[in-house]
Amino acid sequence: MRTAQGLTLEALAQRCGVSRSMISLVERAESSPTATVLERLSAGLGVSLAALFSPEHREDASPLSRRADQRCWRDPGTGYRRRNLSPPGFSSPLELVEVELPPGSTVAYDSIRVPPLEQQVWVLDGTVVVTLGEAVHRLAAGDCLAMRVDRPVAFHNPADHPARTLVAVSTGARA
């Protein structure tokens, strides 16, 4: 994505606040970055976090995503797990992601996106405390929070068991 946008390592590093060496390690799959690093990279590239895990849109992409084929990633720092549910490469105005937050974990994203992301978080199991700027929302199973991510956001699981959410992110793409 970086080279497709004509960005040097230095230019992307300046955009996102991640060192050139870390970007290089991530691109060569020699480092397992944290969720925070990936979020900064996605913001610097102007794409959603989910877009880092899926191929570019293709005309011949299948509209079906089988569970066995869905990409899953685990944050090495927090154990946070995300599974991209949406069909890879299929053009759609939204992406679906399943997220599991381990007990007591917090995942914080501090990048200010331009344009901001629109997303909804639906809690499937457990409790999640979402902090968007100064606003704090405590969500229980069945609760859904719609938000414009235009300021720092953090997700915290205060419980002693995992929390699972379904996140729908507007991509801006048209089907």
Side-chain angles (χ1 to χ4, degrees):
M1 287 182 183
R2 176 184 61 79
T3 57
Q5 291 183 26
L7 295 172
T8 63
L9 285 170
E10 179 65 30
L12 181 57
Q14 288 178 352
R15 275 190 185 186
C16 65
V18 175
S19 72
R20 288 183 317 212
S21 61
M22 176 56 83
I23 295 169
S24 180
L25 289 170
V26 170
E27 288 181 346
R28 293 190 322 258
E30 293 177 5
S31 174
S32 182
T34 64
T36 301
V37 168
L38 287 178
E39 187 269 339
R40 287 180 180 172
L41 290 172
S42 69
L45 291 166
V47 300
S48 70
L49 187 58
L52 294 180
F53 295 94
S54 61
E56 294 292 316
H57 297 295
R58 300 183 333 266
E59 291 298 319
D60 65 339
S62 171
L64 176 63
S65 175
R66 302 265 185 216
R67 183 165 180 87
D69 299 327
Q70 295 166 353
R71 294 200 63 189
C72 194
W73 173 82
R74 185 173 302 276
D75 182 310
T78 64
Y80 149 87
R81 184 186 57 81
R82 65 180 288 126
R83 175 184 298 277
N84 282 23
L85 304 173
S86 297
F90 188 78
S91 183
S92 173
L94 63 94
E95 294 170 344
L96 297 178
V97 178
E98 177 188 25
V99 173
E100 182 178 300
L101 287 169
S105 67
T106 299
V107 177
Y109 302 116
D110 59 3
S111 296
I112 306 300
R113 295 184 168 272
V114 177
L117 281 176
E118 301 286 341
Q119 70 181 31
Q120 293 189 25
V121 178
W122 180 35
V123 179
L124 302 169
D125 298 305
T127 302
V128 178
V129 177
V130 180
T131 304
L132 180 63
E134 300 297 318
V136 178
H137 306 275
R138 186 178 182 89
L139 308 175
D143 293 345
C144 183
L145 174 65
M147 61 185 168
R148 169 173 267 198
V149 184
D150 57 359
R151 60 204 110 153
V153 63
F155 302 88
H156 173 65
N157 176 0
D160 60 1
H161 54 278
R164 282 187 332 117
T165 64
L166 175 68
V167 180
V169 180
S170 173
T171 65
R174 295 291 171 232

